[in-house]
Amino acid sequence: MSLLKKLAMTTAIAAAMMTTQAMAAERIALVVKSLGNGFFDAAAKGAEEAAKELGDVEVIYTGPTSATAEGQIEIINSLIAQKVDAIAISANDPDALVPALKKAMDRGIKVISWDSGVAQDGRMLHLNPSDTNLIGETIIKLAADYMPDGGEVAILSAASTATNQNAWIDAAKKVLPEKFPNIKLDAVVYGDDDSVKSTNEAKGLISTYPNLKAIIAPTTVGVVAAAQVVTDQNLIGKINVTGLALPSEFKKFIDNGASQAVALWNPIDLGYSAVYLSDQLIKGKEAKPGETFSIGKVGEIKLDDTNSAAMAAPYTFDKSNIEKFSKIY
Ligand code: RAM
């Protein structure tokens, strides 16, 4: 055999071995509501961390350019074609994704939702960042704490179909009459986790409700847009912006007084946990009520009757601590 032929053969064998090795890795797709959202970039960081700890795991970080169910369905179908091992999704809609995700499960792909859930028959388990009622109460309290005489508030949400925001808003509405009788919720509007739309919606709220004392945005995208509008319109001190914010993006609005305080959980831990859970399902663990899963540095979670679990309570960020957290996420 000529040297050239030998060399070609060795190269071919080496290439084949590399492909087998690459194929041997578990491939877990982290599908987010939309790309370009700092919250999900932080989650992806945690996902990579988990993949490294577990070894032989490849994370495919993907999502549509805008936060729609249609965009996510396209991505799910392409992940099915690529034969990934697991899909871990933060959903733009609880129901619209179910048929595509069912198809994925029929093909042996493990499916979980995290952050924003899909209906039970579209996933094997769901991971909530925190207790839904607690988040609902927290977002109202964050506003009420700075409104001693009560008054009008409005909510600027993400997509109108987002499972997580809708659940938090429902919980907030429930708690209002009992625990915050002097707070009046004027309106709920939707910025679709898009900066431009969120900015326009925030401006709309301000012009429609002249007595507004707080804008509550339970979305890291919306809260930044609202605080920027309040800053630009010289309304600092008149309208307090609050909600769920990523400290690294929001610190300047605590510093300039557009906001007194916001809350969130650790998005890095959330992405990290999504990968750990997917990995255990791939390795054969069954998701069923009462089952516990151990998630590396995060600890243990236990599935409830709906195969859902929740992580820790949200942290509050204000002038005293946002500097520290802004360096982490
Ligand atoms: C946005 C997204 C995400 C939500 C956070 C608080 O980044 O809507 O789903 O959990 O805000």
Side-chain angles (χ1 to χ4, degrees), residues 33 37-40 90-92 114-116 129 157-159 162 164-165 168 193 217-222 244-246 249 263-265 270:
K33 285 178 166 178
N37 177 340
F39 175 87
F40 292 120
S90 167
N92 285 319
W114 59 281
D115 178 55
S116 185
S157 187
N164 53 348
Q165 272 90 10
W168 302 331
D193 274 349
T219 136
T220 58
V221 179
L244 302 173
L246 201 60
E249 294 176 348
L264 197 70
W265 36 87
L270 199 55

Short mmCIF file of all heavy atoms in Angstrom, two decimals, residues 33 37-40 90-92 114-116 129 157-159 162 164-165 168 193 217-222 244-246 249 263-265 270, ligand 1:
data_model
loop_
_atom_site.label_atom_id
_atom_site.label_comp_id
_atom_site.label_asym_id
_atom_site.label_seq_id
_atom_site.Cartn_x
_atom_site.Cartn_y
_atom_site.Cartn_z
N LYS A 33 -36.96 30.93 25.62
CA LYS A 33 -38.10 31.68 25.03
C LYS A 33 -37.64 32.47 23.82
O LYS A 33 -38.32 32.52 22.81
CB LYS A 33 -38.68 32.63 26.06
CG LYS A 33 -39.51 31.98 27.14
CD LYS A 33 -39.97 33.07 28.10
CE LYS A 33 -41.05 32.61 29.02
NZ LYS A 33 -41.43 33.69 29.96
N ASN A 37 -31.66 37.31 25.42
CA ASN A 37 -32.18 37.68 26.74
C ASN A 37 -31.12 37.28 27.77
O ASN A 37 -30.75 36.10 27.88
CB ASN A 37 -33.50 36.92 26.96
CG ASN A 37 -34.11 37.15 28.33
OD1 ASN A 37 -33.42 37.56 29.26
ND2 ASN A 37 -35.39 36.87 28.46
N GLY A 38 -30.62 38.26 28.53
CA GLY A 38 -29.55 38.02 29.50
C GLY A 38 -29.88 36.97 30.54
O GLY A 38 -29.00 36.26 31.02
N PHE A 39 -31.17 36.86 30.87
CA PHE A 39 -31.60 35.85 31.84
C PHE A 39 -31.26 34.45 31.32
O PHE A 39 -30.73 33.60 32.04
CB PHE A 39 -33.11 35.98 32.08
CG PHE A 39 -33.71 34.94 32.97
CD1 PHE A 39 -33.72 35.10 34.35
CD2 PHE A 39 -34.28 33.78 32.45
CE1 PHE A 39 -34.27 34.15 35.18
CE2 PHE A 39 -34.84 32.82 33.27
CZ PHE A 39 -34.84 33.00 34.64
N PHE A 40 -31.56 34.23 30.04
CA PHE A 40 -31.31 32.90 29.46
C PHE A 40 -29.82 32.68 29.20
O PHE A 40 -29.34 31.55 29.26
CB PHE A 40 -32.15 32.70 28.21
CG PHE A 40 -33.62 32.60 28.53
CD1 PHE A 40 -34.53 33.50 28.01
CD2 PHE A 40 -34.09 31.61 29.39
CE1 PHE A 40 -35.89 33.41 28.32
CE2 PHE A 40 -35.44 31.52 29.72
CZ PHE A 40 -36.34 32.42 29.18
N SER A 90 -37.97 26.31 28.09
CA SER A 90 -38.73 27.35 28.78
C SER A 90 -39.77 27.84 27.77
O SER A 90 -39.42 28.44 26.76
CB SER A 90 -37.81 28.49 29.22
OG SER A 90 -38.59 29.60 29.60
N ALA A 91 -41.04 27.55 28.05
CA ALA A 91 -42.07 27.62 27.01
C ALA A 91 -42.71 29.00 26.86
O ALA A 91 -43.01 29.68 27.84
CB ALA A 91 -43.16 26.60 27.32
N ASN A 92 -42.98 29.35 25.60
CA ASN A 92 -43.72 30.58 25.30
C ASN A 92 -45.23 30.37 25.36
O ASN A 92 -45.99 31.33 25.23
CB ASN A 92 -43.35 31.10 23.92
CG ASN A 92 -41.98 31.76 23.92
OD1 ASN A 92 -41.63 32.48 24.85
ND2 ASN A 92 -41.18 31.50 22.89
N TRP A 114 -38.67 23.99 32.11
CA TRP A 114 -38.06 24.68 33.25
C TRP A 114 -38.36 26.16 33.06
O TRP A 114 -38.60 26.60 31.95
CB TRP A 114 -36.53 24.42 33.30
CG TRP A 114 -35.83 24.85 32.06
CD1 TRP A 114 -35.79 24.19 30.87
CD2 TRP A 114 -35.10 26.07 31.84
NE1 TRP A 114 -35.08 24.91 29.93
CE2 TRP A 114 -34.65 26.06 30.51
CE3 TRP A 114 -34.77 27.17 32.65
CZ2 TRP A 114 -33.89 27.10 29.96
CZ3 TRP A 114 -34.02 28.20 32.11
CH2 TRP A 114 -33.59 28.16 30.79
N ASP A 115 -38.38 26.91 34.12
CA ASP A 115 -38.69 28.35 34.09
C ASP A 115 -40.15 28.57 33.71
O ASP A 115 -40.94 29.01 34.53
CB ASP A 115 -37.72 29.08 33.14
CG ASP A 115 -38.00 30.56 33.02
OD1 ASP A 115 -38.03 31.22 34.07
OD2 ASP A 115 -38.19 31.06 31.89
N SER A 116 -40.52 28.29 32.47
CA SER A 116 -41.89 28.50 32.00
C SER A 116 -42.40 27.17 31.45
O SER A 116 -41.83 26.65 30.49
CB SER A 116 -41.87 29.58 30.93
OG SER A 116 -43.18 29.90 30.53
N PRO A 129 -38.77 27.92 39.16
CA PRO A 129 -37.66 28.55 39.89
C PRO A 129 -37.98 28.68 41.37
O PRO A 129 -37.09 28.68 42.21
CB PRO A 129 -37.56 29.92 39.23
CG PRO A 129 -38.89 30.18 38.62
CD PRO A 129 -39.42 28.84 38.22
N SER A 157 -46.01 42.70 31.46
CA SER A 157 -45.59 41.30 31.45
C SER A 157 -44.75 40.99 30.21
O SER A 157 -44.32 41.89 29.48
CB SER A 157 -46.82 40.40 31.52
OG SER A 157 -46.44 39.05 31.68
N ALA A 158 -44.53 39.70 29.99
CA ALA A 158 -43.77 39.22 28.81
C ALA A 158 -44.80 38.87 27.73
O ALA A 158 -45.69 39.67 27.45
CB ALA A 158 -42.91 38.04 29.22
N ALA A 159 -44.72 37.69 27.11
CA ALA A 159 -45.71 37.30 26.10
C ALA A 159 -47.05 37.01 26.80
O ALA A 159 -47.07 36.52 27.93
CB ALA A 159 -45.24 36.06 25.35
N ALA A 162 -47.20 33.44 27.95
CA ALA A 162 -46.11 32.86 28.77
C ALA A 162 -46.68 32.19 30.02
O ALA A 162 -47.39 32.82 30.81
CB ALA A 162 -45.13 33.96 29.16
N ASN A 164 -45.21 31.04 32.77
CA ASN A 164 -44.72 31.48 34.09
C ASN A 164 -45.32 32.83 34.49
O ASN A 164 -45.92 32.95 35.56
CB ASN A 164 -43.20 31.47 34.16
CG ASN A 164 -42.49 32.22 33.05
OD1 ASN A 164 -43.08 32.62 32.04
ND2 ASN A 164 -41.19 32.43 33.23
N GLN A 165 -45.20 33.85 33.61
CA GLN A 165 -45.74 35.16 33.98
C GLN A 165 -47.25 35.08 34.25
O GLN A 165 -47.74 35.69 35.21
CB GLN A 165 -45.47 36.18 32.86
CG GLN A 165 -44.13 36.89 32.98
CD GLN A 165 -43.02 36.17 32.26
OE1 GLN A 165 -43.27 35.23 31.50
NE2 GLN A 165 -41.78 36.58 32.49
N TRP A 168 -47.84 33.72 37.68
CA TRP A 168 -47.48 34.68 38.73
C TRP A 168 -48.52 35.79 38.83
O TRP A 168 -48.88 36.24 39.92
CB TRP A 168 -46.09 35.30 38.47
CG TRP A 168 -44.99 34.29 38.36
CD1 TRP A 168 -44.93 33.06 38.97
CD2 TRP A 168 -43.79 34.42 37.59
NE1 TRP A 168 -43.77 32.43 38.61
CE2 TRP A 168 -43.05 33.23 37.78
CE3 TRP A 168 -43.26 35.40 36.76
CZ2 TRP A 168 -41.80 33.01 37.17
CZ3 TRP A 168 -42.03 35.20 36.16
CH2 TRP A 168 -41.30 34.01 36.36
N ASP A 193 -41.31 40.23 25.98
CA ASP A 193 -39.86 40.11 26.21
C ASP A 193 -39.07 40.70 25.05
O ASP A 193 -37.99 40.21 24.69
CB ASP A 193 -39.44 38.65 26.48
CG ASP A 193 -39.59 38.28 27.95
OD1 ASP A 193 -39.81 39.19 28.78
OD2 ASP A 193 -39.47 37.09 28.29
N ALA A 217 -42.99 44.75 36.63
CA ALA A 217 -42.68 43.95 35.43
C ALA A 217 -42.04 42.63 35.88
O ALA A 217 -40.87 42.61 36.26
CB ALA A 217 -41.75 44.72 34.50
N PRO A 218 -42.82 41.52 35.83
CA PRO A 218 -42.26 40.24 36.25
C PRO A 218 -41.47 39.58 35.12
O PRO A 218 -41.61 38.39 34.87
CB PRO A 218 -43.50 39.44 36.64
CG PRO A 218 -44.58 39.98 35.76
CD PRO A 218 -44.24 41.42 35.46
N THR A 219 -40.68 40.36 34.45
CA THR A 219 -39.82 39.89 33.36
C THR A 219 -38.57 40.74 33.33
O THR A 219 -38.65 41.97 33.43
CB THR A 219 -40.50 39.95 31.97
OG1 THR A 219 -39.58 40.48 31.01
CG2 THR A 219 -41.71 40.85 31.96
N THR A 220 -37.43 40.09 33.18
CA THR A 220 -36.16 40.82 33.21
C THR A 220 -36.02 41.78 32.03
O THR A 220 -35.29 42.76 32.11
CB THR A 220 -34.97 39.84 33.20
OG1 THR A 220 -35.04 39.02 32.03
CG2 THR A 220 -34.96 38.95 34.43
N VAL A 221 -36.74 41.49 30.94
CA VAL A 221 -36.67 42.38 29.76
C VAL A 221 -37.57 43.60 30.00
O VAL A 221 -37.16 44.75 29.83
CB VAL A 221 -37.10 41.64 28.48
CG1 VAL A 221 -37.05 42.56 27.27
CG2 VAL A 221 -36.21 40.41 28.25
N GLY A 222 -38.80 43.33 30.43
CA GLY A 222 -39.77 44.40 30.65
C GLY A 222 -39.34 45.37 31.73
O GLY A 222 -39.54 46.59 31.60
N LEU A 244 -39.19 41.52 38.50
CA LEU A 244 -38.12 40.51 38.50
C LEU A 244 -37.01 41.00 37.57
O LEU A 244 -37.24 41.20 36.38
CB LEU A 244 -38.68 39.17 38.02
CG LEU A 244 -39.86 38.64 38.86
CD1 LEU A 244 -40.46 37.39 38.22
CD2 LEU A 244 -39.43 38.35 40.30
N ALA A 245 -35.84 41.20 38.13
CA ALA A 245 -34.76 41.81 37.33
C ALA A 245 -33.44 41.09 37.55
O ALA A 245 -33.16 40.57 38.63
CB ALA A 245 -34.61 43.28 37.70
N LEU A 246 -32.65 41.09 36.50
CA LEU A 246 -31.31 40.53 36.55
C LEU A 246 -30.39 41.63 37.11
O LEU A 246 -30.25 42.68 36.46
CB LEU A 246 -30.91 40.15 35.13
CG LEU A 246 -29.82 39.14 34.87
CD1 LEU A 246 -30.15 37.79 35.48
CD2 LEU A 246 -29.61 38.98 33.37
N GLU A 249 -28.10 43.66 34.79
CA GLU A 249 -28.73 44.58 33.85
C GLU A 249 -29.43 45.74 34.57
O GLU A 249 -29.67 46.78 33.96
CB GLU A 249 -29.82 43.84 33.04
CG GLU A 249 -29.30 42.76 32.11
CD GLU A 249 -30.43 41.99 31.41
OE1 GLU A 249 -31.61 42.11 31.80
OE2 GLU A 249 -30.11 41.23 30.49
N ALA A 263 -36.64 41.65 42.61
CA ALA A 263 -36.31 40.31 43.11
C ALA A 263 -35.94 39.39 41.95
O ALA A 263 -36.19 39.70 40.78
CB ALA A 263 -37.49 39.73 43.90
N LEU A 264 -35.34 38.28 42.25
CA LEU A 264 -35.09 37.21 41.28
C LEU A 264 -34.48 36.01 42.01
O LEU A 264 -34.16 36.11 43.20
CB LEU A 264 -34.16 37.66 40.13
CG LEU A 264 -34.16 36.76 38.88
CD1 LEU A 264 -35.48 36.84 38.11
CD2 LEU A 264 -33.04 37.11 37.90
N TRP A 265 -34.34 34.93 41.29
CA TRP A 265 -33.64 33.75 41.79
C TRP A 265 -32.37 33.64 40.97
O TRP A 265 -32.13 34.45 40.08
CB TRP A 265 -34.52 32.51 41.62
CG TRP A 265 -35.29 32.61 40.36
CD1 TRP A 265 -34.89 32.22 39.12
CD2 TRP A 265 -36.57 33.23 40.19
NE1 TRP A 265 -35.84 32.55 38.20
CE2 TRP A 265 -36.88 33.18 38.82
CE3 TRP A 265 -37.48 33.83 41.08
CZ2 TRP A 265 -38.07 33.68 38.31
CZ3 TRP A 265 -38.65 34.35 40.55
CH2 TRP A 265 -38.94 34.27 39.19
N LEU A 270 -30.65 27.63 37.73
CA LEU A 270 -31.81 27.08 37.02
C LEU A 270 -31.36 26.30 35.77
O LEU A 270 -31.81 25.17 35.53
CB LEU A 270 -32.73 28.25 36.64
CG LEU A 270 -34.17 27.95 36.31
CD1 LEU A 270 -34.87 27.19 37.41
CD2 LEU A 270 -34.93 29.26 36.03
C1 RAM B 1 -37.60 36.91 31.46
C2 RAM B 1 -38.27 35.67 30.94
C3 RAM B 1 -38.16 34.52 31.90
C4 RAM B 1 -38.49 34.94 33.31
C5 RAM B 1 -37.64 36.09 33.73
C6 RAM B 1 -37.97 36.57 35.13
O1 RAM B 1 -36.23 36.83 31.26
O2 RAM B 1 -39.61 35.98 30.68
O3 RAM B 1 -39.00 33.47 31.49
O4 RAM B 1 -38.33 33.89 34.22
O5 RAM B 1 -37.87 37.17 32.82
#
